[in-house]
Amino acid sequence: MQAFTTRPEIRGTFGAIATTHWIATAVGMSVLERGGNAFDAACAAGFTLQIMEPHLNGPGGEVPIILKPHNKDPLVICGQGPLPMGATLDRMAEIGVRQVPGTGLLPAVVPGAFDAWMVLLRDHGTWTPRAVLEAAIGYAENGYPVLTRVATTVLPAVELFTTDWPSSGEVWLPGGEVPRPRSLHRVPGIAATYRRILDEAEAAGGDRERQIEAARNAFYRGFVAEAVDHFFRTAEILDSTGRRNPGLLRAEDMARFTARTEPTVHRDYHGFTVHKTGPWGQGPVMLQVLAMLEGFDLSAMDPTGEEWLHTVVECMKLGYADREVFYGDPDFTDVPLATLLSDDYAAARRRLVSDRASRELRPGDLPGTADRMARVLAMAGQEKPLGVGGGEPTFAKLPVEWGDTVHLDVVDRWGNMVAATPSGGWLQSSPVVPGLGFPLSTRGQMCWLEEGHPSTLRPGMRPRTTLTPTLVTRDGEGYLAIGTPGGDQQDQWTLAVLLRHLHGVRDLQAAIDMPLFTSRHFPQSFHPRTYELGRLMVEERFGPAVIEGMRRRGHDVSVEGPWSLGRVCAAGRRDGQVIAAATPRLMQAYAAGR
């Protein structure tokens, strides 16, 4: 199928990369040019994104990584840090919160991104820690161009940073002023932290793996952990409850953490195999939806038409309803994944899809389902956020946009492939840790504070994250790495692009450029956990006929700007070539390759 594109699909034979920021793309491509593999390039681009998009991720955040080494099975590296051991229901009740707040110290978890990148580098890369960090350090020290959305994220936080989060004010209000868009901004504290880590790493000797282990120790058992511990033991910080609350994270929590490598969860779909993280992330939702969609002839539908849109949205509603009642850290709860991904279960769920839009949350009929959903609906949206940063990163005075993270995809000439979705440690989510230059992830806000749910807060548990990169193989070989920022929308936007591509839109850029949508039907994963039954947001480029048709089917449709939803990037291999593409939305993401 031929379709309009804003940019060419990148094609070549050497290597390709796509990220959500043009500088990170250039950094990653430079690694490939200098002999690094896809995993080296991913590490360098990932660290660079921490500097370029600090409102969407940072050194104190997390990252799930799906990788496909050439001639080996795909793997997941889980860089989602767990809750502190002091994070108990009794302690939260003692503090007096009904939901974990979205900002401050209380929702902080162990920052998992650094260890995940180091594990990727150690086990699959070829470069040293200094080599993959040099670009990020250079931009942190010498300055990087400020995105408009960085400035507009800082703007509503000026009073907060001045009066209550002074350590953040020191970083984000140089000279007492908000950084101007396109000006150069420096974050020397981050540069100094990374330089000290490298000094300690190289003091361990010239062996690459020894340096990586020393770097990990410096972060999780050395001076970084000590700085975190001191701040969280001594400070009480204003958060989105409107009160000052303490932090629970301790050095012992940092020391206990190791990024884990585990198999992917995967499912075949029309000759391809789609790989996702486990149910500690929302990734299996996509696999459940694909299983349902196998029973519909999507290839015969217009991929921007009413029938296609209605069918995909209704299947998504069912998949996300299951997420709400079944998903959680499988180390702490029994997730019936085999059942949820089975053909029989998919067939039963598929029969619920009619020509009319559902206005109910309908999880599968398994033991305990009704009780769990009742608890979710009773808790969702009870508290309203106060001040800056309630929920996903808030963009004051801007059109609706939920991008809460960043994304990167890389493929190299040897056939290695990687997709990663870094997030957390947002500049507006938590105060900067003094002496380190960056804040920590507030991913703990995704846990419930009521007994009896898979995502009920438990000490040492990984919060059920929204971060969900995707990797596709065909006949055992890497085919596509793809993903997007966007919280709960990630698997909606990625799936829409993937379906279009696999069902006839061969040009990857064209699939990305087609209009996108967002369902708000289910409880959002971020504080204050609101939901809007039947709500469907669509880009106006779907056209009046499709929009009115969806309304006739019972969808509560709101029309958004023509290029307002989604930030999908992708890189892969096809026809003996490497390919890549990136969204034109927000005019930041770029693909490169040759």
Side-chain angles (χ1 to χ4, degrees):
M1 176 181 293
Q2 296 297 315
F4 165 80
T5 65
T6 58
R7 307 168 177 180
E9 178 187 65
I10 300 296
R11 279 179 168 260
T13 57
F14 177 78
I17 177 172
T19 84
T20 50
H21 195 286
W22 66 89
I23 289 179
T25 295
V27 167
M29 193 67 204
S30 76
V31 173
L32 297 179
E33 295 284 5
R34 289 179 285 161
N37 66 19
F39 311 121
D40 300 318
C43 289
F47 283 121
T48 301
L49 285 168
Q50 294 175 357
I51 310 302
M52 298 299 138
E53 299 192 86
H55 58 314
L56 304 180
N57 80 134
E62 56 265 324
V63 59
I65 303 169
I66 305 182
L67 62 141
K68 171 66 172 73
H70 180 54
N71 289 334
K72 294 182 181 178
D73 292 335
L75 297 167
V76 170
I77 297 177
C78 176
Q80 176 56 63
L83 291 156
M85 295 306 291
T88 65
L89 294 180
D90 288 344
R91 182 71 177 110
M92 292 295 181
E94 180 183 316
I95 292 170
V97 294
R98 292 184 297 172
Q99 283 190 18
V100 183
T103 62
L105 301 182
L106 197 57
V109 299
V110 175
F114 186 81
D115 207 53
W117 290 126
M118 288 295 105
V119 169
L120 177 67
L121 184 66
R122 181 195 66 191
D123 295 347
H124 305 282
T126 63
W127 281 26
T128 64
R130 181 172 296 278
V132 298
L133 274 161
E134 63 178 354
I137 292 173
Y139 283 110
E141 285 184 333
N142 302 317
Y144 63 93
V146 174
L147 295 168
T148 299
R149 285 181 179 263
V150 172
T152 54
T153 299
V154 176
L155 184 62
V158 168
E159 182 178 354
L160 178 71
F161 287 0
T162 302
T163 61
D164 293 290
W165 294 10
S167 58
S168 293
E170 292 174 7
V171 175
W172 294 108
L173 299 173
E177 300 292 330
V178 175
R180 298 189 315 277
R182 301 185 182 181
S183 67
L184 290 179
H185 183 70
R186 297 168 177 83
V187 282
I190 295 175
T193 295
Y194 277 146
R195 284 205 179 278
R196 183 172 173 184
I197 289 173
L198 292 179
D199 288 344
E200 294 191 18
E202 290 169 352
D207 179 79
R208 191 182 75 92
E209 291 191 13
R210 188 176 299 171
Q211 289 183 11
I212 292 171
E213 293 307 309
R216 297 172 72 197
N217 282 328
F219 197 102
Y220 292 94
R221 286 162 283 280
F223 78 95
V224 174
E226 291 168 3
V228 170
D229 185 273
H230 177 73
F231 186 47
F232 276 68
R233 284 183 187 274
T234 58
E236 291 193 353
I237 297 294
L238 184 69
D239 59 32
S240 52
T241 66
R243 304 191 304 271
R244 297 183 182 276
N245 285 312
L248 303 175
L249 191 63
R250 299 291 184 263
E252 293 82 3
D253 300 307
M254 299 277 286
R256 192 177 293 111
F257 176 71
T258 299
R260 290 162 40 175
T261 299
E262 56 192 47
T264 65
V265 176
H266 54 272
R267 181 179 174 86
D268 292 341
Y269 180 80
H270 288 272
F272 298 86
T273 304
V274 181
H275 299 264
K276 302 292 286 186
T277 71
W280 50 265
Q282 72 175 353
V285 164
M286 179 186 285
L287 305 182
Q288 286 192 241
V289 177
L290 287 172
M292 287 182 254
L293 289 173
E294 283 183 338
F296 298 94
D297 188 5
L298 293 188
S299 295
M301 300 180 192
D302 176 353
T304 61
E306 175 189 333
E307 183 181 11
W308 183 93
L309 181 57
H310 172 79
T311 302
V312 174
V313 168
E314 290 303 297
C315 288
M316 281 183 173
K317 289 179 182 179
L318 296 170
Y320 274 88
D322 280 348
R323 183 196 72 169
E324 289 307 306
V325 299
F326 297 123
Y327 287 23
D329 186 343
D331 292 345
F332 288 80
T333 188
D334 182 18
V335 182
L337 207 55
T339 297
L340 297 177
L341 296 178
S342 68
D343 291 340
D344 288 346
Y345 185 82
R349 302 290 278 157
R350 189 183 304 123
R351 286 192 289 271
L352 297 176
V353 177
S354 71
D355 291 336
R356 297 289 300 169
S358 169
R359 291 299 184 103
E360 300 176 87
L361 287 166
R362 299 181 291 178
D365 187 16
L366 298 178
T369 297
D371 180 60
R372 286 180 179 178
M373 183 55 77
R375 290 169 186 251
V376 167
L377 297 182
M379 290 294 292
Q382 278 193 5
E383 294 189 359
K384 303 302 179 186
L386 298 174
V388 174
E392 297 173 77
T394 302
F395 298 96
K397 303 178 183 178
L398 288 175
V400 174
E401 201 278 320
W402 287 286
D404 74 325
T405 181
V406 299
H407 185 79
L408 64 91
D409 304 294
V410 193
V411 58
D412 65 27
R413 63 189 185 274
W414 298 290
N416 300 308
M417 189 176 294
V418 59
T421 310
S423 187
W426 309 304
L427 70 87
Q428 69 274 36
S429 67
S430 189
V432 165
V433 179
L436 297 182
F438 57 83
L440 299 190
S441 169
T442 53
R443 193 63 59 172
Q445 67 184 281
M446 307 181 91
C447 296
W448 296 102
L449 295 183
E450 193 176 68
E451 292 279 10
H453 192 275
S455 291
T456 297
L457 180 140
R458 300 173 181 85
M461 181 185 79
R462 291 171 288 183
R464 197 272 301 146
T465 179
T466 55
L467 305 175
T468 176
T470 303
L471 194 142
V472 181
T473 57
R474 181 169 60 178
D475 300 326
E477 297 296 326
Y479 178 81
L480 189 67
I482 186 171
T484 179
D488 295 285
Q489 289 71 227
Q490 288 179 31
D491 272 328
Q492 301 187 51
W493 294 336
T494 299
L495 179 60
V497 173
L498 183 62
L499 288 171
R500 288 161 170 166
H501 181 62
L502 298 184
H503 286 284
V505 185
R506 293 276 290 170
D507 187 300
L508 192 57
Q509 187 66 51
I512 288 174
D513 287 348
M514 286 179 168
L516 290 173
F517 60 90
T518 291
S519 172
R520 304 283 285 181
H521 180 78
F522 45 86
Q524 303 298 289
S525 297
F526 295 86
H527 181 88
R529 313 298 286 272
T530 58
Y531 63 97
E532 301 169 82
L533 294 178
R535 177 80 179 281
L536 179 65
M537 307 168 73
V538 299
E539 290 183 336
E540 67 180 21
R541 291 183 297 124
F542 273 104
V546 172
I547 292 168
E548 289 308 310
M550 295 296 283
R551 285 175 173 151
R552 284 194 300 270
R553 289 174 182 262
H555 297 275
D556 180 10
V557 180
S558 64
V559 181
E560 307 299 321
W563 298 93
S564 59
L565 301 177
R567 292 178 67 196
V568 179
C569 296
R573 300 184 67 86
R574 191 173 75 238
D575 307 325
Q577 302 176 50
V578 296
I579 60 171
T583 183
R585 297 164 177 90
L586 300 188
M587 296 186 292
Q588 275 178 224
Y590 271 88
R594 69 169 180 86

